[in-house]
Amino acid sequence: QLVPVWMQSETYEHGGAQIPALSASASRSENGLSLTLCHTDANQSAELEIEIRGADCAEPKGRVLASPT
């Protein structure tokens, strides 16, 4: 089940196209809540703040997937 996400991000430009530098999606299943974040600008770091409402996040877990630059 998809969960609504609100996100504000800087813009990343590459090859004349502009896209958000950060994007997010969230879903809920019998295993809990999954939040997926994507940072598209490999040349700039990004800070983000996450606020989760209406869900118990007592034991958050994370995994970082990255490609070589």
Side-chain angles (χ1 to χ4, degrees):
Q1 175 186 10
L2 290 177
V3 175
V5 173
W6 180 84
M7 180 113 192
Q8 184 176 1
S9 172
E10 299 290 326
T11 301
Y12 170 59
E13 185 173 340
H14 181 72
Q18 291 187 350
I19 59 173
L22 292 169
S23 62
S25 66
S27 61
R28 185 182 316 252
S29 72
E30 64 275 356
N31 297 323
L33 181 69
S34 292
L35 176 62
T36 303
L37 303 168
C38 182
H39 181 216
T40 57
D41 188 349
N43 298 312
Q44 295 289 326
S45 62
E47 266 189 49
L48 64 119
E49 181 177 320
I50 300 170
E51 182 178 326
I52 299 174
R53 298 178 185 172
D56 179 16
C57 296
E59 296 182 40
K61 298 176 185 172
R63 180 170 46 165
V64 176
L65 304 175
S67 64
T69 54

